Amino acid sequence: MINKKVQNVEEALQGVEDGMTIMLGGFGLCGIPENSINELVKKGITNLTCISNNAGVDDFGLGLLLQKKQIKKMISSYVGENAEFERQMLSGELEVELTPQGTLAEKCRAAQAGIPAFYTPAGYGTEVAEGKESREWNGKMHILEEAYKADFAIVKAWKGDEAGNLIFKGTARNFNSCMAGAATITVAEVEELVPAGELDPNEIHIPGIFVKRIFKGEQYEKRIEQRTVRKK
Amino acid sequence: MLDKEGIAKRIAKEVKDGYYVNLGIGIPTLVANFVRDDISVEFQSENGVLGMGPFPFEGEEDADIINAGKQTITTLPGASFFDSATSFGMIRGQHVDLTILGAMEVAENGDIANWKIPGKMVKGMGGAMDLVASAENIIVAMMHVNKAGESKLLKRCTLPLTGVGCVKKVVTELAVLEIVPEGFKLLERAPGVTVEEIQKATEGNLIIEGDIPEMAI
């Protein structure tokens, strides 16, 4: 067993520097690497390019990094939940690359799988296609999209073991699963970290080969963005 | 004239037995409430769930189980969770039978705009561009005119496009329309709405053939 366990978030994020490109898992606030985001805020790393489907809300998730102006460029598909984000973007302080969600996911998976580029129909005939090669396949127009290149991928899982194997829960899997192994260094934070051998190999969602460092997150707030319920 | 629930009720009639359906945010989300209960349908949410159920009971909500609108949800027997790339594989690979989404503008050639108002509102396209570029069967749920009273069914979209030539059907508070090569073909009128009123609210080419029936909801 190759041991991927590190003691804490400080050790897990060693080597993160100003100006780096970082992938962060999560959809909305669901499945975001809370402990690592807090550490990036604490470390005061700046000029970051962040690849993340959303940008958090004003006071949680990536919104915390935006507040401190630590992000230079955001690559996302939907940013409607964050007023500070919209302000920085419309004023030109923040560079933003909006990408169709499926394309964003596939650009991560392509990086993970060693595929440099792929064709997709998403965005053909729109602003997204500007400056990109287009080509007809099976009678339909597609555009060429390239895999991301990132320094760090930071993902969050439900359970993990010392070998770096990951299991996700519910819809918190989202981009975490696509980003694992898609950057030079992948850091996984988990709610529960167990010794190798305790997770059933049949149940692993992401094999440890895609993970460089794994640690147990100290605490999880798991904030709910839209609490929708019905009466009993 | 229909209210938002009425639009959702009418669209629910388009949902057929055995369909996998992706519902967008807003009016489309309401469609799930009105689908006949004697047919088998599974709802897909692009953040990674198939077999979405109703909202959880108070106190049973789980931060790890949400839909694409970030609302807490439940799952039904037969449900599954998956990652975002797999989710869009279902969409791009045309495994999803029906996509229902909202729009700011639809043009008579099937173009749709729903993600950006330059200089004012930029929330992003989310999964909409992938959905409209791939789905065979796309129904748009929207109001016929905007708050300023201007038609949203146009000759050509004025806002940045989400997709080209992709919309097949539009359901508004006034009418059901099908997009054909010549423009918007009027299929049904909402209860109490006249063909003239629909004509007045439609900037794009409206095709009226014979008597237009009132929709049954």
Side-chain angles (χ1 to χ4, degrees), chain A residues 36-67:
Chain A
S36 301
I37 291 171
N38 290 338
E39 178 64 14
L40 289 173
V41 173
K42 207 172 103 190
K43 278 171 89 108
I45 310 261
T46 60
N47 267 324
L48 291 171
T49 295
C50 291
I51 302 169
S52 172
N53 188 55
N54 311 90
V57 295
D58 283 332
D59 63 342
F60 197 60
L62 286 185
L64 298 170
L65 285 167
L66 282 165
Q67 260 182 20

Side-chain angles (χ1 to χ4, degrees), chain B residues 107-214:
Chain B
E108 64 185 35
N109 60 358
D111 289 358
I112 176 172
N114 72 354
W115 71 284
K116 183 178 183 181
I117 303 172
K120 269 193 203 158
M121 187 284 290
V122 189
K123 292 189 186 301
M125 66 291 280
M129 282 193 184
D130 308 270
L131 282 158
V132 302
S134 303
E136 284 285 301
N137 195 0
I138 300 173
I139 300 178
V140 166
M142 66 176 198
M143 304 310 278
H144 215 102
V145 295
N146 64 21
K147 281 175 190 149
E150 297 156 340
S151 180
K152 294 167 71 173
L153 279 68
L154 308 173
K155 288 195 179 307
R156 288 291 174 270
C157 290
T158 62
L159 295 170
L161 294 180
T162 306
V164 292
C166 50
V167 177
K168 301 283 186 291
K169 207 174 239 187
V170 182
V171 180
T172 74
E173 78 280 22
L174 303 180
V176 179
L177 309 105
E178 187 188 351
I179 298 199
V180 295
E182 300 76 33
F184 297 104
K185 185 177 176 189
L186 184 56
L187 297 182
E188 297 172 22
R189 298 171 292 116
V193 174
T194 65
V195 170
E196 291 67 38
E197 285 170 303
I198 297 164
Q199 178 71 76
K200 222 180 124 202
T202 309
E203 189 223 83
N205 190 34
L206 187 70
I207 299 152
I208 306 155
E209 283 173 6
D211 275 346
I212 307 299
E214 190 171 286

Side-chain angles (χ1 to χ4, degrees), chain A residues 54 77-79 81 89 100-103 122 127 140 169 171 173-175 222 226-231, chain B residues 55-58 61-64 66 70-72 81 83-84 88 92 116 122-126 130 133:
Chain A
N54 311 90
S77 86
Y78 188 83
V79 293
E81 262 87 40
M89 173 168 61
Q101 196 176 136
T103 299
E127 283 178 15
K140 188 171 176 169
K169 180 171 157 258
T171 53
R173 191 178 326 182
N174 55 59
F175 289 85
K222 290 204 189 183
Q226 306 283 342
R227 186 180 301 274
T228 45
V229 293
R230 63 192 154 131
K231 292 240 183 278
Chain B
F55 294 148
F57 288 120
E58 268 178 4
E61 59 274 23
D62 183 340
D64 288 329
I66 63 167
K70 284 96 178 177
Q71 297 171 312
T72 45
F81 296 117
D83 67 72
S84 302
F88 282 92
R92 223 184 284 108
K116 183 178 183 181
V122 189
K123 292 189 186 301
M125 66 291 280
D130 308 270

Side-chain angles (χ1 to χ4, degrees), chain B residues 20-43:
Chain B
Y20 292 103
V21 182
N22 179 287
L23 300 177
I25 295 161
I27 302 173
T29 307
L30 302 173
V31 172
N33 301 332
F34 303 112
V35 172
R36 280 162 48 190
D37 52 14
D38 60 337
I39 60 173
S40 303
V41 172
E42 283 194 25
F43 291 104

Side-chain angles (χ1 to χ4, degrees), chain A residues 119-194:
Chain A
Y119 284 99
T120 176
Y124 176 75
T126 75
E127 283 178 15
V128 167
E130 283 169 19
K132 288 173 189 162
E133 194 183 316
S134 59
R135 182 169 163 182
E136 191 179 312
W137 291 98
N138 305 324
K140 188 171 176 169
M141 292 307 292
H142 291 71
I143 58 176
L144 188 66
E145 293 280 2
E146 289 176 30
Y148 288 125
K149 291 185 185 74
D151 300 295
F152 273 80
I154 305 177
V155 305
K156 187 258 164 183
W158 178 35
K159 290 179 190 170
D161 67 15
E162 290 170 341
N165 294 308
L166 304 177
I167 295 176
F168 304 96
K169 180 171 157 258
T171 53
R173 191 178 326 182
N174 55 59
F175 289 85
N176 287 301
S177 179
C178 317
M179 289 176 174
T184 308
I185 293 176
T186 295
V187 171
E189 58 168 86
V190 296
E191 289 177 54
E192 207 180 309
L193 184 58
V194 300

